[in-house]
Amino acid sequence: MKRIALITGATAGFGRAIAEQLAGENFDLIVTGRRRERLEELKTTLEAAGKIRVLPLCFDVRNYEEVKSNLGNLPAGWEKVDVLVNNAGLAAGLAPIHQGDVDDWERMIDTNIKGLLYVTRTIAPGMTERKSGHIINIGSIAGREVYPAGNVYCATKHAVRALSQAIRIDLNPYKIRVTLIAPGAAETEFSLVRFKGDQERADQVYQGFEPLVA
Ligand code: NDP
Ligand code: 8X3
C-alpha cells in the first residue's frame, strides 16, 4: 500500500517543493491551498510520470468548517494519512508594534496558529486510531528569535514551536512522530505576500546575503 502525505499550502514555496520531493519518494499526495488552478497544475505535473496519485483540495485553513468538510471526509482510499505537513502560513506586513495593522495580525494568527490547529484536530484522530503517523510542522527561526518589526509573525512561529512540543507529548502514547522544521529566510513568495505584491520591496529582503531556496 502506498503511503499518503497531506501537505497544506502546496501552491507555492516550501509546500510545492515538499510535494515534489515526496512524489519522488512515491507518496500519494493530498495537496491543499486556496489557488485552485495551481493545485490542478500541480496534480497534472506530479501525476505525469504515472507513478503517484494527487488529490487537490481547495480551501482556506482559517475556516474550520471548510477544513472539516474537506479533510474530515476524505474520499475512499485517501483516509489514512501517514504524513501531515502543516506548511500553510504567511507573514503580513512588517511594522513596529505601535503601528501594526490589526487585520494583518488577525491573518497571521488565524493562518499560522489556528489553521495549523484546525488541520491537526481533523487529521490526528485517524492517526491515533491507527497508532501511526508523522506530523511535520513548518516553524521558523522566527520561532526561536525575534527581529525588529517581526513581532506578531515571530509570535505565531513561537506558538508553532510550543504546539509542536505539546503535540509531540500528547501523541507520543500513540506512536505518532512530531517534527518541527525551523528554516531561516528562504526566497519563496513569502516576502511578496508579506509586502502585498510589492516585488521591489520583497526583493530588498534578500539583498546582502544568500537566502535558502524552497
Ligand atoms: P509562500 O508564500 O511561497 O507559500 C505559502 C503557502 O501557504 C501557499 O501555498 C499558500 O497557498 C498557503 N497559504 C497561505 N495562507 C493560506 C490559507 N489561509 N489557507 C490555505 N493555504 C494558505 O511561502 P513559503 O513557502 O515561504 O511559506 C511556507 C511556510 O514556511 C510558512 O508557514 C512560513 O511561515 C514558513 N517559513 C518561511 C520562510 C521563508 O523565509 N520563506 C522561512 C521559515 C518558515 P494559497 O495562497 O494558494 O492559499
Ligand atoms: C521566515 C523567516 O526570518 O524572514 O519565517 O522571519 S524570517
Side-chain angles (χ1 to χ4, degrees):
M1 231 326 244
K2 277 253 188 66
R3 290 169 301 171
I4 295 173
L6 161 55
I7 304 155
T8 67
T11 56
F14 284 132
R16 185 179 171 112
I18 292 164
E20 288 167 355
Q21 179 74 26
L22 293 183
E25 295 181 21
N26 213 29
F27 278 83
D28 283 337
L29 298 176
I30 303 169
V31 292
T32 86
R34 291 165 301 176
R35 286 171 285 184
R36 189 178 298 279
E37 328 72 57
R38 289 201 187 194
L39 291 172
E40 293 298 340
E41 183 274 325
L42 185 60
K43 173 180 166 68
T44 305
T45 304
L46 296 182
E47 285 185 342
K51 293 195 173 147
I52 65 147
R53 298 175 304 153
V54 177
L55 175 66
L57 296 176
C58 187
F59 64 91
D60 189 325
V61 295
R62 292 173 296 181
N63 184 321
Y64 189 39
E65 293 308 315
E66 285 186 27
V67 171
K68 281 191 290 186
S69 68
N70 279 278
L71 300 181
N73 275 311
L74 288 165
W78 289 98
E79 307 97 326
K80 293 180 182 169
V81 174
D82 297 290
V83 176
L84 163 62
V85 185
N86 278 314
N87 165 76
L90 82 172
L94 184 71
I97 202 72
H98 60 290
Q99 293 167 348
D101 179 327
V102 172
D103 288 340
D104 284 348
W105 294 356
E106 310 276 17
R107 265 176 81 200
M108 291 187 277
I109 291 166
D110 289 351
T111 310
N112 301 355
I113 305 176
K114 291 165 73 177
L116 179 147
L117 285 169
Y118 295 161
V119 172
T120 304
R121 179 64 184 88
T122 308
I123 294 298
M127 291 181 167
T128 59
E129 263 171 44
R130 294 189 298 278
K131 289 202 167 50
S132 81
H134 192 165
I135 297 174
I136 300 171
N137 294 331
I138 307 300
S140 170
I141 184 64
R144 291 180 179 272
E145 306 290 344
V146 294
Y147 51 84
N151 41 61
V152 175
Y153 177 70
C154 296
T156 66
K157 289 297 173 176
H158 275 68
V160 170
R161 183 176 168 212
L163 283 170
S164 299
Q165 291 175 283
I167 295 168
R168 184 179 299 134
I169 291 169
D170 289 349
L171 300 187
N172 178 269
Y174 303 93
K175 302 188 188 309
I176 295 163
R177 299 168 71 195
V178 179
T179 299
L180 171 68
I181 300 179
E187 194 164 6
T188 60
E189 293 179 14
F190 180 84
S191 291
L192 195 60
V193 171
R194 169 171 250 171
F195 297 115
K196 297 161 188 166
D198 183 342
Q199 186 70 62
E200 207 177 315
R201 181 73 187 82
D203 290 342
Q204 286 168 10
V205 172
Y206 307 107
Q207 282 169 13
F209 71 101
E210 186 183 343
L212 298 172
V213 294

